[in-house]
């Protein structure tokens, strides 16, 4: 159509019908979206909740946007209704009708009361103080509604996502916390008496405070998705919840350890008594051996043998008392410490016995070596050799007399070996003497 008006070329009947069909479809889609937003569980919760913080601020703006959305939608509906009425006046619209429809469908013919924006606390882009009304084209009005709807829905979906995820998880964790508290109390893990009891109190306070904050300010626990423009893009921030869940799991493991102590405490105490008893007997044997060494071995430094572990015995008595009075939280660390110290004490006692009896072991080795060489010489027919017999007798008296000087006795044994080697005609040198020894050894 060649005629033009203030909004450009006047639309023909087909263009008007197509525009009305498109606008009708948009109207239906917008109405469906607005009704869904109105009935959204998150919006109803926000409307009735006592909000604080960032959620209170954003809901105030979103609630205003929703109010303005309905004002825009009502204006859009009225304009569409008017356009349909004009088109339905006659089957073949007159030029005057088409001019009016073109202005309505393409021009800024939709009026929105300034009071609507003021009531919604959401001024329009061109709105200024004191404006009584604003005029929009249908296209601009749809764009405005889409923008307001997206921002409002984003806020509602985010709050609802946090409320749907975190309070229920916090409640489940709180229920597990209560079960753990009862179990802890049954084994003596209480605040002020055991670190795990203090941790349970702290976790309880944190979860209570966290739930209150999540309910009143859910958006404080929302992490928007980077680069996402979709409404509600993001995820609930579970950092605090996850930290307390891990802390509760650590406490539960500690209590399980205490429970394990309760189950096998008696057996562990019996084992500890046995280990400490063996350590005492070993130390007593070392003290007896030290006296024997001092009496039988001359010119030898013998280490002093320490006394029994009195402190460990006292701690063992304390452990038995803890078990008797069901103080498992105190018994658990004490048993672990005692078991390690008791094994160390037994090892120390054995090392002390070995160090004390070393001179007797040396004497026994020298005796064995002397008798082995004598037996060998007897097999070879040299038992009656006067010189050899004299050296043997001298070494024997040194080794079987008390106190025994090990250094002198060892030299006597070596002289006997040297004489035996010379008698056998060997050529290998005796270690430390410069003479030959038997290559085949005493057992040959």
């Amino acid at each position: 159509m060649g005629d033009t008006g203030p909004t450009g070329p006047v639309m023909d009947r087909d263009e008007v019908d197509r525009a009305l069909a498109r606008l009708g479809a948009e109207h239906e889609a917008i109405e469906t979206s607005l009704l869904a937003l109105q009935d959204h569980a998150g919006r109803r919760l926000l409307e009735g909740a006592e909000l604080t913080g960032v959620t209170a601020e954003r809901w105030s703006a979103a609630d205003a946007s929703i109010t303005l959305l309905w004002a825009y939608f009502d204006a859009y509906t009225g304009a569409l209704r008017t356009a349909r009425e004009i088109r339905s006046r006659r089957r073949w619209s007159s030029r005057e009708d088409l001019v009016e429809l073109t202005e309505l469908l393409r021009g800024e013919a939709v009026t929105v009361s300034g009071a609507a924006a003021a009531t919604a606390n959401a001024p329009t882009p061109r709105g200024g103080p004191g404006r009584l009304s604003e005029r929009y084209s249908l296209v601009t009005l749809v764009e405005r509604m889409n923008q307001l709807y997206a921002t409002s829905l984003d806020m509602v979906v985010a709050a609802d996502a946090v409320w749907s995820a975190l309070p229920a998880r916090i409640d489940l964790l709180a229920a597990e916390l209560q079960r753990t508290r009862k179990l802890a109390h049954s084994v003596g893990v209480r605040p002020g008496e055991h670190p795990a009891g203090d941790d349970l109190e702290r976790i309880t306070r944190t979860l209570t405070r966290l739930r209150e904050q999540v309910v009143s300010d859910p958006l404080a626990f929302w992490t928007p998705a980077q680069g996402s423009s979709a409404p509600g893009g993001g995820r609930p921030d579970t950092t605090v919840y996850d930290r307390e869940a891990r802390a509760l799991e650590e406490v539960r493991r500690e209590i399980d350890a205490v429970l394990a102590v309760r189950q096998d405490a008696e057996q562990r105490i019996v084992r500890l008594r046995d280990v400490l008893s063996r350590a005492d007997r070993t130390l007593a044997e070392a003290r007896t051996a030290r006296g024997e060494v001092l009496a039988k071995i001359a010119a030898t430094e013998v280490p002093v043998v320490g006394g029994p572990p009195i402190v460990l015995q006292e701690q063992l008595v304390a452990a038995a008392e803890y078990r008797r009075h069901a103080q498992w939280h105190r018994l658990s660390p004490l048993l672990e410490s005692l078991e390690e110290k008791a094994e160390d004490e037994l090892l120390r006692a054995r090392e002390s016995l070995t160090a004390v009896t070393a001179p007797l072991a040396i004497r026994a080795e020298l005796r064995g070596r002397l008798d082995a060489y004598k037996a060998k010489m007897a097999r070879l027919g040299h038992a009656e050799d006067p010189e050899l017999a004299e050296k043997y007798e001298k070494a024997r008296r040194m080794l079987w007399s008390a106190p025994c000087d090990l250094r002198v006795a060892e030299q006597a044994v070596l002289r006997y070996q040297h004489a035996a080697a010379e008698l056998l005609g060997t050529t290998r040198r005796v270690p430390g003497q410069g003479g030959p020894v038997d290559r085949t050894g005493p057992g040959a």
Side-chain angles (χ1 to χ4, degrees), residues 283-306:
L283 286 175
E285 185 179 351
R287 285 191 292 273
T288 301
R290 186 173 189 273
E292 180 182 356
V293 169
L294 291 174
K296 296 181 177 181
I297 307 297
T300 300
E301 293 184 2
V302 184
V304 177
V305 180

Side-chain angles (χ1 to χ4, degrees), residues 168-183:
R169 295 173 68 179
I170 294 171
D171 290 343
L172 289 174
L173 189 61
E176 176 63 23
L177 174 62
Q178 291 305 315
R179 288 192 292 270
T180 304
R181 284 167 61 93
K182 291 180 181 178
L183 185 60

Side-chain angles (χ1 to χ4, degrees), residues 55-100:
T55 305
E57 296 176 4
R58 288 193 57 187
W59 171 240
S60 177
D63 191 34
S65 295
I66 294 173
T67 301
L68 186 57
L69 261 173
W70 282 105
Y72 284 162
F73 180 72
D74 289 342
Y76 182 88
T77 302
L80 181 60
R81 183 188 307 112
T82 299
R84 285 171 172 170
E85 289 174 354
I86 295 173
R87 179 65 183 91
S88 63
R89 287 174 185 170
R90 53 185 65 85
R91 181 178 180 184
W92 303 100
S93 297
S94 65
R95 183 181 183 284
E96 290 75 12
D97 290 344
L98 292 176
V99 169
E100 186 175 1

